Amino acid sequence: MSDMKTIFGKIICGDIPADVVYEDDDVLAFKDVNPQAPIHILIIPKKEEIPTLNDAESRHKELLGHMLLTASRIAADKGIAESGYRLIMNCNAEGGQTVFHLHLHLLGGRQMTGF
Ligand code: 5GP
């Protein structure tokens, strides 16, 4: 954990504060500092810094599934499971990724547009 370089690594280490909504041994979920919806939460792996989805390997299958299930549980906790929500994972520059520590965006609380 100590060799994590990104801003999310610093959040995991406690060097930068975050509004944490869920945490277990494998993932951390916290509010996005610049929310794009009434509910905007980031779900990140805790134990290792995987820069992008391109860097994920077969051994990360369980972790990736756990990130998705964590998102759905947080959505239920926040009361938006039935109304609906959107999950986004940006990859590299044209995907709009700015922080190179794998993360899943959970967005909800308003009507999503686009796509
Ligand atoms: P990306 O564009 O890489 O998919 O998403 C990165 C997200 O991280 C952005 O939505 C941005 O607002 C959020 N973010 C960047 N720095 C911080 C921070 O220090 N704290 C929190 N809570 N969110 C951050």
Side-chain angles (χ1 to χ4, degrees):
M1 229 194 268
S2 56
D3 59 348
M4 288 187 182
K5 305 273 190 299
T6 69
I7 198 136
F8 291 172
K10 293 184 194 337
I11 286 173
I12 291 166
C13 295
D15 293 343
I16 293 177
D19 196 341
V20 173
V21 299
Y22 176 80
E23 181 170 17
D24 62 27
D25 286 347
D26 298 309
V27 297
L28 182 69
F30 52 93
K31 293 183 181 174
D32 196 293
V33 78
N34 182 25
Q36 303 301 307
I39 294 167
H40 187 172
I41 290 162
L42 301 169
I43 297 135
I44 69 171
K46 267 173 71 175
K47 288 181 176 159
E48 112 179 70
E49 203 145 61
I50 304 165
T52 79
L53 187 59
N54 294 340
D55 302 296
E57 300 171 6
S58 298
R59 67 190 170 89
H60 296 120
K61 267 189 215 167
E62 195 169 332
L63 173 65
L64 293 168
H66 185 51
M67 289 171 71
L68 288 170
L69 288 174
T70 299
S72 74
R73 283 173 191 147
I74 293 171
D77 285 348
K78 297 289 181 191
I80 58 168
E82 298 309 319
S83 54
Y85 55 91
R86 181 171 286 174
L87 301 179
I88 296 174
M89 186 177 280
N90 296 325
C91 183
N92 277 336
E94 289 193 7
Q97 186 175 6
T98 59
V99 179
F100 288 85
H101 180 125
L102 191 74
H103 53 281
L104 189 61
H105 295 256
L106 165 62
L107 295 144
R110 69 166 167 80
Q111 178 62 53
M112 296 296 153
T113 56
F115 294 105

